[in-house]
Structure formats: C-alpha cells, structure tokens
Amino acid sequence: MATPGFDSHTDQTRFDDYWFDGAFDEMFQAPGEPRAHYRALYDLLRELPLAEMRRRKQAADISFLHQGITFTVYGREEGTERIFPHDLLPRILTSREWETIERGLAQRITALNLFLHDIYNAGRSLTEGVVPREIVYSCKHFRRQMREFTVPQNRYITVVGTDLVRLPDGRFVVLEDNLRVPSGVSYMLTSRQVMKRIFPELFRTAGVRPIDHYSEALLATLRALAPEGRPDPNIVLLTPGVYNSAYFEHAFLARQMGIELVEGRDLAVHDNTVYMRTTAGLRRVDVIYRRVDDDFIDPLVFRSDSSLGVAGLFSAYRAGNVALANALGTGVADDKALYAYVPRIIKFFLGEEPILDNVETFLCGEPAARAHVLERLDQYVVKAVGESGGYGMLIGPNSTVAEREEFRRRILADPRNYIAQPTLQLSRAPCFFDGSVEPRHVDLRPYILFGDKLTIVPGGLTRVALRKGSLVVNSSQGGGSKDTWVLH
Amino acid sequence: MLSRVADSLYWMSRYLERAEHAAHVMGVHWNLMLEHDAGSAGPRWDRVLAALGYQDEVVGDPFAVAQTYALDQVVTSIAAARENARQVREQISSEMWEELNRLFHESRRIAEPESFGSQPHDVVSAVVQSSRLFQGITDTTMLHGEGWQFIQVGRSMERVQDTARLLDTHFGEFFRGGDAIGMSEHMEWVGLLRASSAFEAYCKVYTADMRPDRIAEFLLLNAEFPYSVRFGVEQLRRSLERVHQATATRKSDRLGKLAGRLTASLSYTPLEEIMSNLHEFTTTIRRLCGQIHSGIYQVYITYPIEAALEV
C-alpha cells in the first residue's frame, strides 16, 4: 500500500515478490533480465508511478464492469453473473513463436476434420487400426445419427479453440482441443479494446498485430456453409439464452457480425425448413452458428427434455436445408481419451509429423496404464474425459487423501472415463496485484476458423490462474484472462 | 425483427419509464411532506400508492409502505428493464447497455430506505436523469428502425397510462368542481405538475395561476408537452404506424384503428365533458391502451405459426 506523504516518484510497482522456479517465465530470461520482446513493458512498469498504475488498473476494471463483460458460475447460486477477472499486463509472443503455433494448429485441425469425416463415413482410420473402435464408439459425444451424411463442404469443425501450454523448455504443447462450442473469443476481442485505451504508449512502440477482423472472418466462414441456391443466406447465432455462462459472448458476436441472435423458441421447423418468428411473419434460416450442445439441439432426436433446441431441426439438417456450425458429433474428436491418438491421426491423414506435440497421456481404460496411474495418483492430473471447464478434475500434488480415494473409486468404476497426465509446470507470466508484480501460471487458447481457408487471428485468450500456486486457469475455478499480443 | 426481440425492447422501455415515474412521484411527495403537518401524511401516501398502481389494502404506516413500495418499484423496474435489455443486448447499442447497466448497479446501492431517507433528492435525480440520458443515447446511437419504434411504443404506452392514473388519483382527492382551489392545496396542484415535469411548461402556457381545468387540459390535451397524454398517444400511434409499414403485414391494420380511436377521443372530446367525469375519461384511455397492448401481442409477437404459413 502507498504510504501517505511518500514521494510518489519513488513509489513504484515492486518486483520484490517475483520468484523463479522450474517453470518457463514468459517475461524474464534470468532474474532482472527481461526477454527482448518484454523490454518495453518492463521499462514502462519501472517508469510509471504506482499511483498511475493503480489508476489504469481501476480504469480497466470499470470498463469491464460497465460493458457488462461477465460470465455465469454454475453450481453456486443459480445463474450468478460475475465480472470476468482480468489482469492488467499483456502476455506477449514473438512472431516466430506464433508462426510455429499457427502452422501446428492448421495441421492439427485439418487432420481432425478429415478424421471426423472418416469415422462418420468410410471409417478407414478404424479398419486400419489407427484409432481403436471402442474409443470412438464408447465416446458419449459420438452421434450415430450422423453416419452416412455429407455435411456441407465436408466441414465438421468450423470454429475451434485449442488450449496450449508452455513447458519449462519453452515449447508449446497441446493440452486439449475444443471442437464443440468453444467460448472465450469475446474476452479476447473486448480485452484488446480496453488495453488499447490503457496502454496506448506500448501499442505505439511495440507493434502488436491486430485481431479485430475475427468477427468478419467468422461471418465469411459461416456464409461459406450456406445451402446451394441461397445466395443471400440468413445466418443466425443460436444461444441457449441469457442464463448460459457464455451468453455475453453470444450477444457480442451476433452484434459484431450483424446477425440475429436467436433462441430455440424463436425457431420453428416446417416441411424440413427452419424458420424464425419475426414481427413481419416467418423467415427462413439457412446457416445456424449454434452455441447449444448436441444433446439439447433437437428434442426429437437427442434429449427429449430439452427446451433449448428446435424440434425437427435435425431432419432439416439432414435434408440439407440448413447448415450447422459446428456440425453435430464433433465432440468425438476432442474427447480426452481420443486426444492421445491425435499424433497418429495427423500422421495417418496427412503423412506428416505433428508440429505441436501432445502432453504425455495415460488412458485409464488400458490396464497397464491404469495400474501405473493408480499407484501414483499424487503425481498426476486426472481428468474425466467428457467434462470441460475444469470440472471433474483431480490435481494430484494438491489433493487430499480423501480426494485421491474418491478418484480411485471413480476410475475403477468407469476406467474409460478417465485419463491422467503428468502435472505440468505451466509457464508463468507477470501479473499486477495492487502495487507488486508476481508471476502466475498461464495457458493460451488461440481460435481457429476453418472456412474456405483456415484463419487464425494472431493472439487468443491467455487464461491465468490468479490464485497463488494454482494451476487451474478455468474462469469457473478462479481463473482470469490477459490480453495476448503477437508482435509483428 | 425477431418477435422475442420486439417484446424485450418494448418492456425494457416500459419498465424504465415506470421506474422514472415512480421515482418522480415519490420525490415530489417527499418534498411536499416536509412543509406539511403530520396529519395530512396518511392520505398523501395512500394517494401515492394508488398513483403507482398499488392495489392491496395498506396495513401499517402508509408512509413506510409507500416509501418501501415506491423504492421497490424503482429498483425492480430498473432490474426488469436491464434484464430485458440483457436479453437483446445485440439489438441495442453498447452505449445504451452501459448506461442501463450503470443505473442498475447504482440503483441497488442508493435506493434503500436509509440512503433515500437522508438524501431523497439524490436518488430521484439519479434515476430520472439516467432515464432521460438513456433516451437521449437511444435516440442518438440506435438505428431509428423497427426496434427503435418498439422502444417508443413501450415508453409512450407506459407514460400515457402513468399520467392518466396520476391525474385520476389527484382529481379524485382535490377536485371539487369549479375553478377555485384552496390555498392549502395550492402546493398539491403544483406537485401534480412537478411529478410530470410539467410545472415550468405549464407556467409558460398559463402563468403560475393554478386552475384545475387548465391543469387537466395541459396534462391531458396539450399537443406539445412530451409528458401529456395526448402527446404520448400521438407518439404511440405514429410508432405503431411505422411498425406496420416496416413489417408490411397483410393483416388488417387493427392496431392503427385502435390508436386512431384513442387519438380521436383526445382530439375531439370537449374539455367540459372531460371535466364532468374525469375518472371515466382516464379509465377509458387506460382501457384502450390495454387493448392496444394485447393487439401488439396478437399481431407481432405471439401469432400462431399455422396462420403465418398460410399467407
């Protein structure tokens, strides 16, 4: 805290509490020696009086509050809306680092899309044993209703968010893919707007690559999916509604693209054609960017208790009268058990070595691996394969005996449902905490758009575990975000 | 425009207008109470409750009930306006959302009996100013298309009904025929005008001479004052006409006819006739508004799908 009467020029942001351990540090190559691309930020932090830093932090917080940039936490108080925690300091990547990430993701997504087409059609990768059949067929996201059906342009995954982490040696590896309804891109876009107001001097000198064209690229990607004979397609974004954790994002993207944000109750299907209810009567819908999970999208085909979807939507989809992005059944390819096979999938479909590696993964469904993991539960991170958002997870080193026993029981009851990965030393980036800068663990989620061409906007969502020592970056578990800068 | 969106815009605007009205009425009466003896307080707060549409029997101290009810109406209306706005965030401008969201957070902080009790003026002006700022922002940042027209419809619908009810309760208490008003009641008539932000405008037209028939004429029939019933009804009619044109429905213009009837009764009913039974006149206006409200739902929002596919 600032002491009254203290000379404000010597009262500056402190680095005293900055520590170093085995993890890769994004900012420093050695204590007191910032990496070249962090130099400008470091110098600014040393120059600006603390009062000014506090003022900027406050201005950023107010801007987030007033824009209503919120997310909803499940499980506590129903529908609790929270401000998304945001750290003031940007996470910075060099263009070389980015170039590898970009190539690696393009390769991975192309292969996964081919894989999805394959398992729902010819199934070569299954007959040739690249991926065991039981992994695919036992996955709860496998949709047999999608068999023998050509999705528009053979494009299953149009919007992807892939989580990367950085290991102590500085390499980026893939932690997981999100191929169903990835979220978070709105935080990436809005936090950039705020940061441009907060740190104009850094933007001027650093040369940060822009990301504002994301919405336009998304719209073009969706338009490319329109059924034939619909030159001016009506594109809509289907949201589960305001109580969904990502509703802010749905509204934000719809507005950015200038398309209608619809809920299931706005749509109706008649004669295998989807319509939306407007004040001027019914209007046909051609492309749906759906942010509703497969399970809830059509009560006639999937969960019959869903009121979020549209009855008859699936048959209109199969009839080719409406396109969905992403396609249904894409969750097979981001299943955490299938994840272990992605390097082989890349090699099989593209004949290439993976550019971005996986994290070492043990499938509890395999007896040898299971035994190995059960003996060392305190060293591994155990994840339920069908879950996301940091729910259903055991972090071995931070767990209690009771929690480990609970997971042992769960793993033995349903081995296919669990994987284990070594506890990763995620890289750390500097964060601003009222007067002092401390390191916290971060990951990186770039967003990939797969349309007529593959687009990855330079940047992404850097999620940060704001709690000291925590490795969980999910917003539902006390994580926050940082603006991500890719330099020219 | 999506029917659901039209619905939300309509209610967003109605609720905000309702919050403004409740804050205004509460503020004016609080002010009047300060210079009056304690004996007049009971009936005053009963009247405030009636003007705000409170229908239950008042149990306990009318002042406490009125204050709680009015503040509650302010806070819940603002919350409802924001909730509706949240449902259609992509349809309104970011600036509109930011202002409404700001008001929402502020209202929850300030509109509590204790803080209202110590600085009522601050609370009232915070709400009223924000509501008007929101209108200004709406007019300058939003496309004046169909959605904007639904916002106008919602606001004028609420304003017309609020003003009509306010007049009705006031005249029921203080009007005893004729032009004269008792000296002790002078401030109450000024208060009626103030609660509709009409005092200054009234003085410009009629001077500060308070006469019930002129006040009724001003608040009901003045064509130029934005809070008058006639002004609101005219705006309602115009906006409905625009919506009708924008949606090009082949349905008969039922709403236009209803709105026309409402305008006609305000344009052509002689003041003497209105004054002879003001209660009935305001009731008719509110009933016609109710019919227009249900008509909007039948034509634009909850129409059956089969009917829509036939055309």
Side-chain angles (χ1 to χ4, degrees):
Chain A
M1 294 298 291
T3 324
F6 207 74
D7 179 4
S8 69
H9 290 287
T10 59
D11 189 10
Q12 277 159 339
T13 308
R14 285 178 289 109
F15 281 84
D16 317 350
D17 295 330
Y18 208 95
W19 67 87
F20 293 87
D21 53 26
F24 183 89
D25 195 278
E26 298 281 341
M27 186 179 207
F28 293 101
Q29 50 197 3
E33 271 181 58
R35 297 175 195 281
H37 58 288
Y38 266 99
R39 180 96 238 169
L41 175 65
Y42 182 70
D43 289 346
L44 188 72
L45 287 173
R46 310 285 297 184
E47 279 163 26
L48 284 182
L50 186 53
E52 173 63 10
M53 279 301 288
R54 288 209 174 102
R55 192 195 64 72
R56 293 188 186 197
K57 168 73 179 151
Q58 202 178 17
D61 286 348
I62 287 174
S63 178
F64 279 100
L65 177 73
H66 283 181
Q67 289 183 62
I69 299 172
T70 58
F71 68 100
T72 309
V73 185
Y74 296 125
R76 304 200 181 139
E77 202 181 319
E78 193 61 41
T80 309
E81 216 184 318
R82 294 242 194 121
I83 301 300
F84 196 59
H86 178 263
D87 179 69
L88 194 58
L89 309 179
R91 191 259 186 93
I92 309 175
L93 295 167
T94 64
S95 61
R96 273 194 58 190
E97 287 166 339
W98 180 251
E99 195 264 341
T100 311
I101 292 174
E102 203 172 20
R103 278 192 305 123
L105 290 174
Q107 177 196 53
R108 190 172 176 100
I109 298 316
T110 310
L112 287 174
N113 192 64
L114 288 169
F115 170 71
L116 281 164
H117 181 260
D118 183 54
I119 57 165
Y120 287 118
N121 293 279
R124 273 198 318 126
S125 58
L126 303 179
T127 40
E128 296 185 24
V130 179
V131 178
R133 278 176 201 279
E134 58 273 21
I135 291 278
V136 171
Y137 294 144
S138 66
C139 174
K140 70 174 179 183
H141 298 296
F142 179 78
R143 305 287 170 207
R144 58 182 170 74
Q145 297 89 341
M146 292 293 289
R147 292 292 305 272
E148 311 284 319
F149 163 50
T150 310
V151 301
Q153 332 285 334
N154 284 335
R155 228 168 276 143
Y156 283 82
I157 37 183
T158 32
V159 184
V160 180
T162 293
D163 292 343
L164 305 173
V165 296
R166 197 171 211 183
L167 299 182
D169 62 6
R171 274 184 315 136
F172 279 97
V173 293
V174 177
L175 188 62
E176 64 180 51
D177 302 287
N178 294 283
L179 308 177
R180 284 168 277 163
V181 285
S183 62
V185 75
S186 59
Y187 302 128
M188 168 181 97
L189 297 169
T190 48
S191 102
R192 176 60 60 87
Q193 295 305 326
V194 172
M195 290 294 275
K196 275 167 40 183
R197 292 214 295 266
I198 303 293
F199 285 121
E201 63 272 74
L202 275 182
F203 274 92
R204 251 199 339 265
T205 53
V208 182
R209 290 175 64 184
I211 53 172
D212 287 343
H213 53 289
Y214 178 85
S215 309
E216 208 183 318
L218 176 57
L219 184 64
T221 303
L222 295 170
R223 184 171 283 134
L225 292 174
E228 264 179 61
R230 304 289 294 172
D232 189 16
N234 180 19
I235 303 166
V236 300
L237 193 158
L238 176 64
T239 173
V242 292
Y243 299 107
N244 184 266
S245 65
Y247 180 76
F248 164 76
E249 172 156 315
H250 305 161
F252 177 86
L253 288 175
R255 189 175 57 229
Q256 293 282 310
M257 290 189 281
I259 65 175
E260 289 287 1
L261 177 69
V262 302
E263 296 179 18
R265 58 192 160 123
D266 294 321
L267 301 181
V269 178
H270 189 266
D271 210 8
N272 276 349
T273 307
V274 184
Y275 296 96
M276 63 184 193
R277 177 191 279 278
T278 77
T279 51
L282 299 176
R283 185 168 165 219
R284 181 167 167 185
V285 172
D286 303 295
V287 181
I288 302 178
Y289 177 33
R290 53 103 180 185
R291 296 292 296 258
V292 173
D293 286 336
D294 291 5
D295 273 337
F296 297 96
I297 207 151
D298 183 347
L300 296 182
V301 183
F302 304 106
R303 275 178 62 164
S304 58
D305 61 345
S306 166
S307 54
L308 302 175
V310 189
L313 178 60
F314 190 73
S315 75
Y317 181 44
R318 279 206 73 128
N321 291 335
V322 69
L324 297 179
N326 291 344
L328 300 179
T330 53
V332 174
D334 69 12
D335 180 272
K336 291 188 174 70
L338 186 103
Y339 164 88
Y341 294 91
V342 175
R344 290 192 226 169
I345 289 172
I346 294 174
K347 216 172 289 178
F348 180 73
F349 286 102
L350 303 177
E352 297 170 6
E353 288 299 321
I355 298 166
L356 292 172
D357 286 330
N358 266 7
V359 175
E360 185 186 14
T361 301
F362 296 91
L363 301 173
C364 295
E366 294 175 356
R370 181 166 63 240
H372 176 86
V373 171
L374 287 176
E375 272 169 37
R376 298 169 184 81
L377 272 181
D378 57 338
Q379 297 166 22
Y380 284 99
V381 175
V382 181
K383 296 175 181 173
V385 297
E387 300 285 338
S388 60
Y391 296 95
M393 204 165 140
L394 174 81
I395 305 208
N398 300 347
S399 63
T400 62
V401 177
E403 282 167 349
R404 288 200 290 275
E405 275 317 303
E406 169 65 15
F407 264 79
R408 178 187 307 279
R409 200 183 50 70
R410 288 199 217 169
I411 292 170
L412 289 171
D414 185 8
R416 159 69 177 83
N417 197 34
Y418 291 92
I419 59 154
Q421 291 169 339
T423 317
L424 296 174
Q425 278 283 32
L426 306 193
S427 63
R428 302 161 329 161
C431 294
F432 182 78
F433 294 96
D434 191 50
S436 91
V437 172
E438 294 176 26
R440 289 289 187 272
H441 295 291
V442 294
D443 76 350
L444 174 65
R445 177 184 286 186
Y447 294 90
I448 304 108
L449 294 172
F450 192 12
D452 286 336
K453 60 181 178 25
L454 203 136
T455 312
I456 310 176
V457 290
L461 183 66
T462 289
R463 295 185 300 174
V464 46
L466 289 171
R467 263 185 244 138
K468 205 169 187 166
S470 169
L471 287 166
V472 188
V473 295
N474 302 82
S475 54
S476 50
Q477 317 281 324
S481 79
K482 275 175 162 306
D483 195 19
T484 310
W485 295 1
V486 175
L487 304 184
H488 279 296
Chain B
M1 152 162 299
L2 289 175
S3 302
R4 175 178 55 81
V5 170
D7 188 25
S8 291
L9 291 175
Y10 173 77
W11 278 110
M12 170 190 78
S13 168
R14 268 196 86 157
Y15 275 123
L16 190 60
E17 182 68 25
R18 190 173 293 175
E20 181 190 324
H21 179 72
H24 229 149
V25 169
M26 185 68 198
V28 164
H29 283 276
W30 176 280
N31 213 323
L32 287 170
M33 179 185 76
L34 298 180
E35 293 171 331
H36 277 246
D37 57 88
S40 67
R44 169 184 309 287
W45 297 111
D46 284 339
R47 225 160 48 236
V48 167
L49 283 166
L52 297 181
Y54 185 82
Q55 288 174 342
D56 300 340
E57 198 187 332
V58 179
V59 181
D61 176 15
F63 166 64
V65 177
Q67 175 169 278
T68 311
Y69 181 75
L71 287 176
D72 192 51
Q73 191 169 82
V74 169
V75 174
T76 52
S77 297
I78 290 172
R82 174 186 180 265
E83 191 55 33
N84 275 287
R86 193 157 99 93
Q87 303 261 3
V88 291
R89 246 186 97 164
E90 79 293 352
Q91 298 291 333
I92 59 177
S93 67
S94 317
E95 290 92 338
M96 289 165 71
W97 167 254
E98 282 179 32
E99 179 55 26
L100 195 48
N101 196 37
R102 196 195 57 72
L103 174 63
F104 168 73
H105 289 295
E106 194 182 359
S107 71
R108 291 214 298 191
R109 192 168 52 77
I110 61 175
E112 282 172 4
E114 300 109 60
S115 78
F116 182 77
S118 61
Q119 285 301 325
H121 179 74
D122 289 356
V123 177
V124 172
S125 67
V127 174
V128 173
Q129 279 179 17
S130 175
S131 162
R132 290 176 181 169
L133 179 57
F134 182 80
Q135 286 171 37
I137 293 172
T138 304
D139 291 354
T140 45
T141 60
M142 193 177 172
L143 281 175
H144 286 210
E146 206 188 329
W148 186 81
Q149 300 292 358
F150 269 106
I151 290 176
Q152 307 308 309
V153 169
R155 177 159 64 241
S156 32
M157 176 73 85
E158 183 68 27
R159 193 175 281 184
V160 165
Q161 299 199 53
D162 287 345
T163 307
R165 194 162 49 208
L166 185 65
L167 266 176
D168 189 15
T169 50
H170 186 92
F171 274 75
E173 177 79 19
F174 293 105
F175 182 58
R176 283 175 282 279
D179 298 343
I181 54 170
M183 208 41 217
S184 63
E185 287 164 5
H186 178 81
M187 286 317 289
E188 298 295 337
W189 291 93
V190 172
L192 170 64
L193 288 169
R194 284 200 198 281
S196 303
S197 303
F199 181 66
E200 287 177 21
Y202 174 88
C203 291
K204 287 206 166 68
V205 179
Y206 299 107
T207 74
D209 188 12
M210 291 295 130
R211 280 177 41 186
D213 55 340
R214 287 180 179 173
I215 291 176
E217 182 176 37
F218 189 76
L219 289 180
L220 283 171
L221 307 181
N222 190 294
E224 292 166 351
F225 182 62
Y227 282 84
S228 85
V229 170
R230 180 163 168 198
F231 191 98
V233 162
E234 187 49 43
Q235 191 167 46
L236 180 64
R237 192 191 60 74
R238 244 192 344 258
S239 291
L240 285 172
E241 190 178 293
R242 290 284 168 78
V243 171
H244 181 69
Q245 288 162 359
T247 53
T249 43
R250 273 146 287 186
K251 292 163 206 153
S252 67
D253 188 12
R254 230 181 75 209
L255 286 168
K257 286 178 187 154
L258 278 170
R261 215 177 125 194
L262 193 52
T263 350
S265 72
L266 285 156
S267 307
Y268 301 122
T269 315
L271 183 63
E272 298 74 43
E273 195 182 314
I274 296 174
M275 293 307 287
S276 70
N277 196 343
L278 190 120
H279 175 68
E280 192 187 294
F281 187 72
T282 52
T283 309
T284 309
I285 286 173
R286 286 169 53 202
R287 199 188 59 238
L288 279 168
C289 283
Q291 286 174 13
I292 294 177
H293 171 85
S294 0
I296 292 171
Y297 272 76
Q298 285 156 19
V299 177
Y300 297 114
I301 296 169
T302 50
Y303 56 83
I305 286 178
E306 294 72 20
L309 278 168
E310 276 164 21
V311 238

